[in-house]
Amino acid sequence: MAAEIDSVDSILRDNIPEEIREKVLTILYGKKARVLELPEEALQASKEKDFELRGYGIDAKKEQMRSPRVVRIGAVQNKLLLPTDAPVSEQIASLHARISDITETAAKCGVNIICFQEAWTMPFAFCTREKLPWCEFAESAEEGPTTKLCQDLAKRFNMVVVSPILERDPADVIWNTAVVISNTGKVLGKSRKNHIPRIGDFNESTYYMEGNTGHSVFETQFGRIAVNICFGRHHPLNWHMYGMNGAEIVFNPSATVGTLSEPMWAIEARNAAIANTYFTVGINRVGTETFPNEFTSADGKKSHNQMGHFYGSSYLAAPDGSRTPGLSRVRDGLLVAEVDLNLSRQIKDTWCFKMTGRHDMYADLLTQATSPDYKPLIVKE
């Protein structure tokens, strides 16, 4: 079964003949990412705690007028530790402990910015359309226990933390939100999910609607970052606006399953990195989550109690089209990527995408196209 494949990348590395391997992998993935030498202490911790640890570097050319802007980025993928019918407080506590352990290992690896997967403190239960107990996982983005934990981690490890949670605002409205916490421990702000799926088992609009925070970019000590949550990766204009607002790194924390989206996964964040001349980080959860009650999704399928396999495969893509290998499809993991942010401007100077983008023309055309009386420009014989 496909869910048993550990990593497509490892299959390619192990089975392409050695004499052509590097050429083929360069065609597929671009310039080869440098393998990082990670501390033995971190490698040992990953073995003891049973999660994959991989490190890669993507470099820029040396410049005369600018010093390198080297940043280490961490991406975390994980499965649930307890059954979905375990008490809510116990599920949250188990994931808090797990992510704290992985974050501590990231700190040993010198990570400056870390991002967790979408709705990381809970099962991805929005398929069920049940309100209890799933709404009980929602918490304040500013003062909730998960944010308090992440503030402590950020301050302790001098690390920017991106924490995607299920948010409950003061009016008891629920949102799919990423909280951005400075390395000082201060909450910089939050970014809500801009695009909500209505496909297959992804019944998310039963719980929350499209976000209202726009395309915020957060200025941190380690670079300008943004968060494009999950389904937003299917919308090129969504990616584009983060770039227009000056993002240098855009995280895509996700929860997506193999039968639906896996052929798209390796393409979309990478394409966004190229088109918008910034770094992207695709992060996906791992495992198969089983729910107590069966559900249907008006798609003709029999009732079931699983969405399918969340296939992990988290990776980083660079503006020059290169990317790191992905993490496992089946294991918890921490990806450490060392990048030089100077690469973004170097690629802008090479490809001139912003100069040749003709944004004024498309702004006018999109304004016309969204008018109720718009007539598509179709030429007929």
Side-chain angles (χ1 to χ4, degrees):
M1 294 176 61
E4 297 174 355
I5 296 173
D6 181 77
S7 167
V8 173
D9 297 320
S10 62
I11 289 173
L12 290 172
R13 287 194 302 270
D14 294 343
N15 291 279
I16 298 173
E18 185 175 356
E19 62 271 18
I20 61 170
R21 184 181 304 147
E22 291 304 318
K23 180 66 173 178
V24 171
L25 292 178
T26 298
I27 292 170
L28 287 174
Y29 296 146
K31 180 179 63 179
K32 184 178 180 180
R34 173 170 48 86
V35 176
L36 296 180
E37 291 187 13
L38 299 175
E40 183 57 37
E41 183 184 11
L43 295 169
Q44 186 60 37
S46 71
K47 290 178 182 177
E48 292 174 357
K49 300 292 185 178
D50 189 26
F51 63 88
E52 182 182 19
L53 175 58
R54 302 284 182 184
Y56 302 97
I58 295 179
D59 302 314
K61 294 179 180 177
K62 186 176 181 180
E63 299 184 18
Q64 296 184 44
M65 302 298 290
R66 292 194 302 171
S67 299
R69 298 178 62 215
V70 176
V71 177
R72 283 204 174 187
I73 299 164
V76 180
Q77 63 178 46
N78 61 279
K79 63 176 76 70
L80 300 180
L81 295 168
L82 298 178
T84 59
D85 58 357
V88 170
S89 61
E90 292 180 14
Q91 291 191 61
I92 294 172
S94 69
L95 290 166
H96 278 188
R98 178 62 162 166
I99 293 305
S100 295
D101 284 343
I102 296 176
T103 302
E104 183 174 355
T105 302
K108 291 180 171 69
C109 296
V111 165
N112 306 117
I113 309 170
I114 196 167
C115 183
F116 310 136
Q117 65 198 24
E118 181 183 18
W120 70 269
T121 62
M122 64 178 294
F124 207 74
F126 312 119
C127 51
T128 68
R129 298 194 297 275
E130 301 165 342
K131 294 308 175 87
L132 289 176
W134 316 122
C135 288
E136 296 184 79
F137 285 90
E139 59 184 276
S140 167
E142 291 77 21
E143 299 177 349
T146 298
T147 294
K148 297 295 186 185
L149 169 71
C150 292
Q151 287 180 292
D152 177 66
L153 294 172
K155 194 170 184 179
R156 188 177 0 147
F157 298 129
N158 190 33
M159 189 186 299
V160 174
V161 176
V162 181
S163 173
I165 62 168
L166 190 64
E167 177 195 5
R168 181 183 294 275
D169 75 11
D172 279 330
V173 177
I174 290 177
W175 307 88
N176 187 319
T177 301
V179 184
V180 180
I181 300 165
S182 169
N183 56 310
T184 64
K186 180 181 179 181
V187 175
L188 278 178
K190 59 191 176 187
S191 186
R192 290 170 171 160
K193 189 171 181 174
N194 281 329
H195 298 271
I196 307 302
R198 293 161 178 86
I199 178 173
D201 290 332
F202 289 83
N203 300 309
E204 296 174 48
S205 57
T206 305
Y207 301 86
Y208 46 80
M209 297 300 285
E210 285 74 13
N212 59 1
T213 54
H215 297 83
S216 300
V217 173
F218 301 91
E219 185 84 52
T220 78
Q221 180 181 329
F222 308 110
R224 295 189 300 274
I225 67 173
V227 193
N228 176 9
I229 301 175
C230 198
F231 196 70
R233 73 180 175 279
H234 304 305
H235 297 270
L237 290 176
N238 194 39
W239 287 108
H240 188 65
M241 284 309 303
Y242 293 113
M244 293 296 283
N245 285 337
E248 295 174 303
I249 306 164
V250 180
F251 294 95
N252 178 229
S254 300
T256 185
V257 293
T259 53
L260 182 68
S261 66
E262 194 162 11
M264 305 176 186
W265 177 253
I267 300 169
E268 289 175 304
R270 187 181 180 192
N271 186 64
I274 296 166
N276 298 289
T277 328
Y278 51 46
F279 291 89
T280 61
V281 188
I283 304 167
N284 187 26
R285 68 171 57 200
V286 183
T288 302
E289 301 176 0
T290 302
F291 297 96
N293 302 316
E294 293 188 344
F295 50 86
T296 62
S297 297
D299 56 5
K301 296 180 181 179
K302 292 181 179 180
S303 61
H304 46 283
N305 60 1
Q306 298 176 351
M307 292 182 70
H309 176 67
F310 294 100
Y311 52 82
S313 305
S314 303
Y315 70 99
L316 175 139
D320 63 356
S322 62
R323 54 155 288 184
T324 69
L327 291 178
S328 168
R329 296 179 71 259
V330 296
R331 294 185 63 201
D332 289 9
L334 168 63
L335 173 68
V336 178
E338 181 179 275
V339 304
D340 185 344
L341 297 180
N342 282 352
L343 182 62
S344 291
R345 195 172 82 176
Q346 292 175 9
I347 299 303
K348 286 178 182 177
D349 290 347
T350 300
W351 282 96
C352 305
F353 285 152
K354 205 157 191 177
M355 182 179 71
T356 60
R358 304 199 65 187
H359 298 109
D360 54 345
M361 177 183 72
Y362 289 109
D364 181 55
L365 290 172
L366 284 169
T367 300
Q368 295 176 37
T370 54
S371 172
D373 59 357
Y374 177 69
K375 293 180 173 55
L377 182 59
I378 300 173
V379 179
K380 300 180 180 179
E381 186 175 356

PDB file of all heavy atoms in Angstrom, residues 178-211:
ATOM      1  N   ALA A 178      -2.670  30.781  12.556  1.00  0.00           N
ATOM      2  CA  ALA A 178      -1.268  30.588  12.926  1.00  0.00           C
ATOM      3  C   ALA A 178      -0.827  31.776  13.777  1.00  0.00           C
ATOM      4  O   ALA A 178      -0.955  32.926  13.342  1.00  0.00           O
ATOM      5  CB  ALA A 178      -0.391  30.468  11.694  1.00  0.00           C
ATOM      6  N   VAL A 179      -0.332  31.482  14.956  1.00  0.00           N
ATOM      7  CA  VAL A 179       0.173  32.513  15.860  1.00  0.00           C
ATOM      8  C   VAL A 179       1.676  32.642  15.647  1.00  0.00           C
ATOM      9  O   VAL A 179       2.392  31.634  15.612  1.00  0.00           O
ATOM     10  CB  VAL A 179      -0.125  32.155  17.330  1.00  0.00           C
ATOM     11  CG1 VAL A 179       0.313  33.288  18.259  1.00  0.00           C
ATOM     12  CG2 VAL A 179      -1.606  31.851  17.515  1.00  0.00           C
ATOM     13  N   VAL A 180       2.143  33.862  15.473  1.00  0.00           N
ATOM     14  CA  VAL A 180       3.561  34.116  15.245  1.00  0.00           C
ATOM     15  C   VAL A 180       4.147  34.764  16.492  1.00  0.00           C
ATOM     16  O   VAL A 180       3.690  35.823  16.933  1.00  0.00           O
ATOM     17  CB  VAL A 180       3.785  35.017  14.009  1.00  0.00           C
ATOM     18  CG1 VAL A 180       5.276  35.266  13.802  1.00  0.00           C
ATOM     19  CG2 VAL A 180       3.165  34.380  12.770  1.00  0.00           C
ATOM     20  N   ILE A 181       5.157  34.106  17.060  1.00  0.00           N
ATOM     21  CA  ILE A 181       5.752  34.532  18.323  1.00  0.00           C
ATOM     22  C   ILE A 181       7.216  34.880  18.093  1.00  0.00           C
ATOM     23  O   ILE A 181       7.984  34.081  17.544  1.00  0.00           O
ATOM     24  CB  ILE A 181       5.611  33.429  19.379  1.00  0.00           C
ATOM     25  CG1 ILE A 181       4.113  33.125  19.617  1.00  0.00           C
ATOM     26  CG2 ILE A 181       6.306  33.820  20.682  1.00  0.00           C
ATOM     27  CD1 ILE A 181       3.873  31.836  20.349  1.00  0.00           C
ATOM     28  N   SER A 182       7.598  36.056  18.518  1.00  0.00           N
ATOM     29  CA  SER A 182       8.981  36.521  18.356  1.00  0.00           C
ATOM     30  C   SER A 182       9.927  35.714  19.233  1.00  0.00           C
ATOM     31  O   SER A 182       9.525  35.083  20.212  1.00  0.00           O
ATOM     32  CB  SER A 182       9.065  38.005  18.732  1.00  0.00           C
ATOM     33  OG  SER A 182      10.403  38.429  18.834  1.00  0.00           O
ATOM     34  N   ASN A 183      11.209  35.764  18.884  1.00  0.00           N
ATOM     35  CA  ASN A 183      12.222  35.114  19.719  1.00  0.00           C
ATOM     36  C   ASN A 183      12.357  35.776  21.090  1.00  0.00           C
ATOM     37  O   ASN A 183      12.998  35.225  21.985  1.00  0.00           O
ATOM     38  CB  ASN A 183      13.578  35.085  19.012  1.00  0.00           C
ATOM     39  CG  ASN A 183      14.050  36.458  18.590  1.00  0.00           C
ATOM     40  OD1 ASN A 183      13.317  37.218  17.965  1.00  0.00           O
ATOM     41  ND2 ASN A 183      15.283  36.785  18.916  1.00  0.00           N
ATOM     42  N   THR A 184      11.737  36.939  21.258  1.00  0.00           N
ATOM     43  CA  THR A 184      11.703  37.579  22.582  1.00  0.00           C
ATOM     44  C   THR A 184      10.596  37.002  23.460  1.00  0.00           C
ATOM     45  O   THR A 184      10.523  37.307  24.654  1.00  0.00           O
ATOM     46  CB  THR A 184      11.473  39.084  22.446  1.00  0.00           C
ATOM     47  OG1 THR A 184      10.169  39.307  21.854  1.00  0.00           O
ATOM     48  CG2 THR A 184      12.536  39.732  21.564  1.00  0.00           C
ATOM     49  N   GLY A 185       9.718  36.199  22.863  1.00  0.00           N
ATOM     50  CA  GLY A 185       8.580  35.659  23.588  1.00  0.00           C
ATOM     51  C   GLY A 185       7.300  36.450  23.393  1.00  0.00           C
ATOM     52  O   GLY A 185       6.233  36.046  23.863  1.00  0.00           O
ATOM     53  N   LYS A 186       7.354  37.559  22.681  1.00  0.00           N
ATOM     54  CA  LYS A 186       6.166  38.387  22.446  1.00  0.00           C
ATOM     55  C   LYS A 186       5.357  37.840  21.273  1.00  0.00           C
ATOM     56  O   LYS A 186       5.926  37.397  20.272  1.00  0.00           O
ATOM     57  CB  LYS A 186       6.585  39.825  22.164  1.00  0.00           C
ATOM     58  CG  LYS A 186       5.415  40.773  21.902  1.00  0.00           C
ATOM     59  CD  LYS A 186       5.884  42.179  21.607  1.00  0.00           C
ATOM     60  CE  LYS A 186       4.707  43.093  21.319  1.00  0.00           C
ATOM     61  NZ  LYS A 186       5.155  44.488  20.996  1.00  0.00           N
ATOM     62  N   VAL A 187       4.028  37.872  21.395  1.00  0.00           N
ATOM     63  CA  VAL A 187       3.167  37.520  20.271  1.00  0.00           C
ATOM     64  C   VAL A 187       3.203  38.655  19.258  1.00  0.00           C
ATOM     65  O   VAL A 187       2.730  39.764  19.528  1.00  0.00           O
ATOM     66  CB  VAL A 187       1.714  37.258  20.736  1.00  0.00           C
ATOM     67  CG1 VAL A 187       0.814  37.006  19.528  1.00  0.00           C
ATOM     68  CG2 VAL A 187       1.660  36.064  21.684  1.00  0.00           C
ATOM     69  N   LEU A 188       3.782  38.366  18.079  1.00  0.00           N
ATOM     70  CA  LEU A 188       3.859  39.389  17.034  1.00  0.00           C
ATOM     71  C   LEU A 188       2.501  39.616  16.380  1.00  0.00           C
ATOM     72  O   LEU A 188       2.167  40.735  15.977  1.00  0.00           O
ATOM     73  CB  LEU A 188       4.867  38.970  15.951  1.00  0.00           C
ATOM     74  CG  LEU A 188       6.336  39.217  16.215  1.00  0.00           C
ATOM     75  CD1 LEU A 188       7.170  38.693  15.048  1.00  0.00           C
ATOM     76  CD2 LEU A 188       6.604  40.707  16.398  1.00  0.00           C
ATOM     77  N   GLY A 189       1.727  38.552  16.242  1.00  0.00           N
ATOM     78  CA  GLY A 189       0.428  38.657  15.597  1.00  0.00           C
ATOM     79  C   GLY A 189      -0.052  37.289  15.165  1.00  0.00           C
ATOM     80  O   GLY A 189       0.471  36.254  15.591  1.00  0.00           O
ATOM     81  N   LYS A 190      -1.043  37.287  14.290  1.00  0.00           N
ATOM     82  CA  LYS A 190      -1.611  36.017  13.823  1.00  0.00           C
ATOM     83  C   LYS A 190      -2.041  36.146  12.374  1.00  0.00           C
ATOM     84  O   LYS A 190      -2.306  37.240  11.867  1.00  0.00           O
ATOM     85  CB  LYS A 190      -2.791  35.604  14.694  1.00  0.00           C
ATOM     86  CG  LYS A 190      -3.933  36.612  14.738  1.00  0.00           C
ATOM     87  CD  LYS A 190      -4.912  36.239  15.828  1.00  0.00           C
ATOM     88  CE  LYS A 190      -6.024  37.285  15.954  1.00  0.00           C
ATOM     89  NZ  LYS A 190      -6.897  37.025  17.120  1.00  0.00           N
ATOM     90  N   SER A 191      -2.095  35.007  11.718  1.00  0.00           N
ATOM     91  CA  SER A 191      -2.499  34.934  10.316  1.00  0.00           C
ATOM     92  C   SER A 191      -3.559  33.846  10.195  1.00  0.00           C
ATOM     93  O   SER A 191      -3.304  32.693  10.543  1.00  0.00           O
ATOM     94  CB  SER A 191      -1.282  34.614   9.433  1.00  0.00           C
ATOM     95  OG  SER A 191      -1.620  34.668   8.070  1.00  0.00           O
ATOM     96  N   ARG A 192      -4.746  34.223   9.739  1.00  0.00           N
ATOM     97  CA  ARG A 192      -5.845  33.270   9.614  1.00  0.00           C
ATOM     98  C   ARG A 192      -5.919  32.701   8.203  1.00  0.00           C
ATOM     99  O   ARG A 192      -5.529  33.358   7.243  1.00  0.00           O
ATOM    100  CB  ARG A 192      -7.165  33.945  10.007  1.00  0.00           C
ATOM    101  CG  ARG A 192      -7.264  34.238  11.502  1.00  0.00           C
ATOM    102  CD  ARG A 192      -8.434  35.112  11.850  1.00  0.00           C
ATOM    103  NE  ARG A 192      -8.620  35.205  13.316  1.00  0.00           N
ATOM    104  CZ  ARG A 192      -9.307  36.170  13.920  1.00  0.00           C
ATOM    105  NH1 ARG A 192      -9.874  37.136  13.196  1.00  0.00           N
ATOM    106  NH2 ARG A 192      -9.423  36.170  15.244  1.00  0.00           N
ATOM    107  N   LYS A 193      -6.425  31.504   8.119  1.00  0.00           N
ATOM    108  CA  LYS A 193      -6.487  30.757   6.858  1.00  0.00           C
ATOM    109  C   LYS A 193      -7.377  31.488   5.851  1.00  0.00           C
ATOM    110  O   LYS A 193      -8.559  31.715   6.099  1.00  0.00           O
ATOM    111  CB  LYS A 193      -7.021  29.357   7.156  1.00  0.00           C
ATOM    112  CG  LYS A 193      -6.955  28.362   6.008  1.00  0.00           C
ATOM    113  CD  LYS A 193      -7.303  26.970   6.530  1.00  0.00           C
ATOM    114  CE  LYS A 193      -7.228  25.902   5.455  1.00  0.00           C
ATOM    115  NZ  LYS A 193      -7.439  24.549   6.020  1.00  0.00           N
ATOM    116  N   ASN A 194      -6.814  31.825   4.704  1.00  0.00           N
ATOM    117  CA  ASN A 194      -7.523  32.642   3.716  1.00  0.00           C
ATOM    118  C   ASN A 194      -8.504  31.854   2.859  1.00  0.00           C
ATOM    119  O   ASN A 194      -9.493  32.421   2.377  1.00  0.00           O
ATOM    120  CB  ASN A 194      -6.515  33.343   2.798  1.00  0.00           C
ATOM    121  CG  ASN A 194      -5.902  34.559   3.444  1.00  0.00           C
ATOM    122  OD1 ASN A 194      -6.533  35.223   4.258  1.00  0.00           O
ATOM    123  ND2 ASN A 194      -4.662  34.855   3.101  1.00  0.00           N
ATOM    124  N   HIS A 195      -8.220  30.590   2.609  1.00  0.00           N
ATOM    125  CA  HIS A 195      -9.048  29.791   1.705  1.00  0.00           C
ATOM    126  C   HIS A 195      -9.460  28.508   2.423  1.00  0.00           C
ATOM    127  O   HIS A 195      -8.608  27.792   2.952  1.00  0.00           O
ATOM    128  CB  HIS A 195      -8.287  29.464   0.415  1.00  0.00           C
ATOM    129  CG  HIS A 195      -7.916  30.686  -0.376  1.00  0.00           C
ATOM    130  ND1 HIS A 195      -8.741  31.236  -1.328  1.00  0.00           N
ATOM    131  CD2 HIS A 195      -6.806  31.467  -0.344  1.00  0.00           C
ATOM    132  CE1 HIS A 195      -8.166  32.301  -1.856  1.00  0.00           C
ATOM    133  NE2 HIS A 195      -6.981  32.464  -1.268  1.00  0.00           N
ATOM    134  N   ILE A 196     -10.754  28.213   2.422  1.00  0.00           N
ATOM    135  CA  ILE A 196     -11.300  27.075   3.150  1.00  0.00           C
ATOM    136  C   ILE A 196     -11.800  26.034   2.148  1.00  0.00           C
ATOM    137  O   ILE A 196     -12.607  26.343   1.271  1.00  0.00           O
ATOM    138  CB  ILE A 196     -12.461  27.503   4.071  1.00  0.00           C
ATOM    139  CG1 ILE A 196     -12.025  28.653   4.984  1.00  0.00           C
ATOM    140  CG2 ILE A 196     -12.948  26.314   4.888  1.00  0.00           C
ATOM    141  CD1 ILE A 196     -10.841  28.357   5.868  1.00  0.00           C
ATOM    142  N   PRO A 197     -11.338  24.780   2.264  1.00  0.00           N
ATOM    143  CA  PRO A 197     -11.741  23.752   1.297  1.00  0.00           C
ATOM    144  C   PRO A 197     -13.182  23.294   1.494  1.00  0.00           C
ATOM    145  O   PRO A 197     -13.708  23.278   2.608  1.00  0.00           O
ATOM    146  CB  PRO A 197     -10.761  22.601   1.584  1.00  0.00           C
ATOM    147  CG  PRO A 197     -10.403  22.779   3.021  1.00  0.00           C
ATOM    148  CD  PRO A 197     -10.385  24.254   3.261  1.00  0.00           C
ATOM    149  N   ARG A 198     -13.775  22.920   0.414  1.00  0.00           N
ATOM    150  CA  ARG A 198     -15.090  22.280   0.418  1.00  0.00           C
ATOM    151  C   ARG A 198     -15.002  21.126  -0.573  1.00  0.00           C
ATOM    152  O   ARG A 198     -15.595  21.155  -1.648  1.00  0.00           O
ATOM    153  CB  ARG A 198     -16.179  23.287   0.037  1.00  0.00           C
ATOM    154  CG  ARG A 198     -16.360  24.393   1.086  1.00  0.00           C
ATOM    155  CD  ARG A 198     -17.069  25.611   0.512  1.00  0.00           C
ATOM    156  NE  ARG A 198     -17.284  26.648   1.516  1.00  0.00           N
ATOM    157  CZ  ARG A 198     -16.397  27.578   1.841  1.00  0.00           C
ATOM    158  NH1 ARG A 198     -15.212  27.594   1.242  1.00  0.00           N
ATOM    159  NH2 ARG A 198     -16.678  28.498   2.743  1.00  0.00           N
ATOM    160  N   ILE A 199     -14.206  20.146  -0.204  1.00  0.00           N
ATOM    161  CA  ILE A 199     -13.911  19.038  -1.102  1.00  0.00           C
ATOM    162  C   ILE A 199     -13.724  17.762  -0.279  1.00  0.00           C
ATOM    163  O   ILE A 199     -13.061  17.785   0.776  1.00  0.00           O
ATOM    164  CB  ILE A 199     -12.648  19.320  -1.950  1.00  0.00           C
ATOM    165  CG1 ILE A 199     -12.314  18.131  -2.855  1.00  0.00           C
ATOM    166  CG2 ILE A 199     -11.464  19.697  -1.078  1.00  0.00           C
ATOM    167  CD1 ILE A 199     -11.180  18.411  -3.824  1.00  0.00           C
ATOM    168  N   GLY A 200     -14.309  16.665  -0.733  1.00  0.00           N
ATOM    169  CA  GLY A 200     -14.130  15.395  -0.050  1.00  0.00           C
ATOM    170  C   GLY A 200     -14.503  15.471   1.412  1.00  0.00           C
ATOM    171  O   GLY A 200     -15.554  16.017   1.780  1.00  0.00           O
ATOM    172  N   ASP A 201     -13.636  14.944   2.275  1.00  0.00           N
ATOM    173  CA  ASP A 201     -13.900  14.930   3.713  1.00  0.00           C
ATOM    174  C   ASP A 201     -13.521  16.234   4.414  1.00  0.00           C
ATOM    175  O   ASP A 201     -13.663  16.336   5.638  1.00  0.00           O
ATOM    176  CB  ASP A 201     -13.127  13.780   4.369  1.00  0.00           C
ATOM    177  CG  ASP A 201     -13.680  12.416   3.982  1.00  0.00           C
ATOM    178  OD1 ASP A 201     -14.885  12.330   3.679  1.00  0.00           O
ATOM    179  OD2 ASP A 201     -12.896  11.446   3.978  1.00  0.00           O
ATOM    180  N   PHE A 202     -13.046  17.199   3.679  1.00  0.00           N
ATOM    181  CA  PHE A 202     -12.590  18.455   4.297  1.00  0.00           C
ATOM    182  C   PHE A 202     -13.789  19.386   4.479  1.00  0.00           C
ATOM    183  O   PHE A 202     -14.003  20.324   3.711  1.00  0.00           O
ATOM    184  CB  PHE A 202     -11.476  19.084   3.462  1.00  0.00           C
ATOM    185  CG  PHE A 202     -10.184  18.329   3.538  1.00  0.00           C
ATOM    186  CD1 PHE A 202      -9.965  17.218   2.735  1.00  0.00           C
ATOM    187  CD2 PHE A 202      -9.202  18.687   4.444  1.00  0.00           C
ATOM    188  CE1 PHE A 202      -8.785  16.490   2.815  1.00  0.00           C
ATOM    189  CE2 PHE A 202      -8.012  17.969   4.539  1.00  0.00           C
ATOM    190  CZ  PHE A 202      -7.806  16.873   3.722  1.00  0.00           C
ATOM    191  N   ASN A 203     -14.555  19.100   5.539  1.00  0.00           N
ATOM    192  CA  ASN A 203     -15.788  19.841   5.833  1.00  0.00           C
ATOM    193  C   ASN A 203     -15.517  21.006   6.780  1.00  0.00           C
ATOM    194  O   ASN A 203     -16.250  21.240   7.742  1.00  0.00           O
ATOM    195  CB  ASN A 203     -16.818  18.896   6.449  1.00  0.00           C
ATOM    196  CG  ASN A 203     -17.167  17.750   5.524  1.00  0.00           C
ATOM    197  OD1 ASN A 203     -17.494  17.960   4.365  1.00  0.00           O
ATOM    198  ND2 ASN A 203     -17.093  16.523   6.034  1.00  0.00           N
ATOM    199  N   GLU A 204     -14.478  21.763   6.504  1.00  0.00           N
ATOM    200  CA  GLU A 204     -13.984  22.738   7.470  1.00  0.00           C
ATOM    201  C   GLU A 204     -14.913  23.922   7.685  1.00  0.00           C
ATOM    202  O   GLU A 204     -14.913  24.535   8.756  1.00  0.00           O
ATOM    203  CB  GLU A 204     -12.584  23.212   7.049  1.00  0.00           C
ATOM    204  CG  GLU A 204     -11.576  22.089   7.079  1.00  0.00           C
ATOM    205  CD  GLU A 204     -10.214  22.486   6.523  1.00  0.00           C
ATOM    206  OE1 GLU A 204      -9.705  23.554   6.916  1.00  0.00           O
ATOM    207  OE2 GLU A 204      -9.663  21.731   5.705  1.00  0.00           O
ATOM    208  N   SER A 205     -15.711  24.269   6.673  1.00  0.00           N
ATOM    209  CA  SER A 205     -16.589  25.432   6.836  1.00  0.00           C
ATOM    210  C   SER A 205     -17.729  25.151   7.801  1.00  0.00           C
ATOM    211  O   SER A 205     -18.504  26.045   8.119  1.00  0.00           O
ATOM    212  CB  SER A 205     -17.140  25.886   5.480  1.00  0.00           C
ATOM    213  OG  SER A 205     -17.827  24.834   4.835  1.00  0.00           O
ATOM    214  N   THR A 206     -17.839  23.924   8.304  1.00  0.00           N
ATOM    215  CA  THR A 206     -18.754  23.623   9.408  1.00  0.00           C
ATOM    216  C   THR A 206     -18.257  24.276  10.696  1.00  0.00           C
ATOM    217  O   THR A 206     -19.043  24.531  11.615  1.00  0.00           O
ATOM    218  CB  THR A 206     -18.843  22.099   9.621  1.00  0.00           C
ATOM    219  OG1 THR A 206     -19.206  21.480   8.389  1.00  0.00           O
ATOM    220  CG2 THR A 206     -19.867  21.739  10.683  1.00  0.00           C
ATOM    221  N   TYR A 207     -16.959  24.576  10.754  1.00  0.00           N
ATOM    222  CA  TYR A 207     -16.340  25.066  11.982  1.00  0.00           C
ATOM    223  C   TYR A 207     -15.857  26.515  11.873  1.00  0.00           C
ATOM    224  O   TYR A 207     -15.951  27.265  12.848  1.00  0.00           O
ATOM    225  CB  TYR A 207     -15.136  24.184  12.346  1.00  0.00           C
ATOM    226  CG  TYR A 207     -15.510  22.743  12.555  1.00  0.00           C
ATOM    227  CD1 TYR A 207     -15.583  21.861  11.480  1.00  0.00           C
ATOM    228  CD2 TYR A 207     -15.813  22.262  13.827  1.00  0.00           C
ATOM    229  CE1 TYR A 207     -15.933  20.530  11.671  1.00  0.00           C
ATOM    230  CE2 TYR A 207     -16.162  20.930  14.023  1.00  0.00           C
ATOM    231  CZ  TYR A 207     -16.232  20.072  12.936  1.00  0.00           C
ATOM    232  OH  TYR A 207     -16.584  18.763  13.115  1.00  0.00           O
ATOM    233  N   TYR A 208     -15.305  26.884  10.740  1.00  0.00           N
ATOM    234  CA  TYR A 208     -14.737  28.225  10.571  1.00  0.00           C
ATOM    235  C   TYR A 208     -14.820  28.621   9.109  1.00  0.00           C
ATOM    236  O   TYR A 208     -14.907  27.785   8.216  1.00  0.00           O
ATOM    237  CB  TYR A 208     -13.285  28.285  11.062  1.00  0.00           C
ATOM    238  CG  TYR A 208     -12.413  27.142  10.597  1.00  0.00           C
ATOM    239  CD1 TYR A 208     -11.862  27.121   9.314  1.00  0.00           C
ATOM    240  CD2 TYR A 208     -12.116  26.065  11.443  1.00  0.00           C
ATOM    241  CE1 TYR A 208     -11.060  26.068   8.892  1.00  0.00           C
ATOM    242  CE2 TYR A 208     -11.321  25.017  11.034  1.00  0.00           C
ATOM    243  CZ  TYR A 208     -10.793  25.024   9.755  1.00  0.00           C
ATOM    244  OH  TYR A 208     -10.004  23.984   9.331  1.00  0.00           O
ATOM    245  N   MET A 209     -14.777  29.929   8.888  1.00  0.00           N
ATOM    246  CA  MET A 209     -14.870  30.459   7.526  1.00  0.00           C
ATOM    247  C   MET A 209     -13.530  31.104   7.142  1.00  0.00           C
ATOM    248  O   MET A 209     -12.552  31.046   7.880  1.00  0.00           O
ATOM    249  CB  MET A 209     -16.020  31.457   7.433  1.00  0.00           C
ATOM    250  CG  MET A 209     -17.387  30.823   7.714  1.00  0.00           C
ATOM    251  SD  MET A 209     -17.813  29.480   6.581  1.00  0.00           S
ATOM    252  CE  MET A 209     -18.221  30.429   5.119  1.00  0.00           C
ATOM    253  N   GLU A 210     -13.511  31.742   5.982  1.00  0.00           N
ATOM    254  CA  GLU A 210     -12.290  32.357   5.484  1.00  0.00           C
ATOM    255  C   GLU A 210     -11.779  33.428   6.455  1.00  0.00           C
ATOM    256  O   GLU A 210     -12.569  34.155   7.066  1.00  0.00           O
ATOM    257  CB  GLU A 210     -12.528  32.983   4.107  1.00  0.00           C
ATOM    258  CG  GLU A 210     -12.629  31.970   2.979  1.00  0.00           C
ATOM    259  CD  GLU A 210     -13.914  31.180   2.919  1.00  0.00           C
ATOM    260  OE1 GLU A 210     -14.890  31.567   3.608  1.00  0.00           O
ATOM    261  OE2 GLU A 210     -13.974  30.163   2.194  1.00  0.00           O
ATOM    262  N   GLY A 211     -10.457  33.508   6.560  1.00  0.00           N
ATOM    263  CA  GLY A 211      -9.837  34.435   7.494  1.00  0.00           C
ATOM    264  C   GLY A 211      -9.984  35.891   7.077  1.00  0.00           C
ATOM    265  O   GLY A 211     -10.303  36.215   5.933  1.00  0.00           O
TER     266      GLY A 211
END
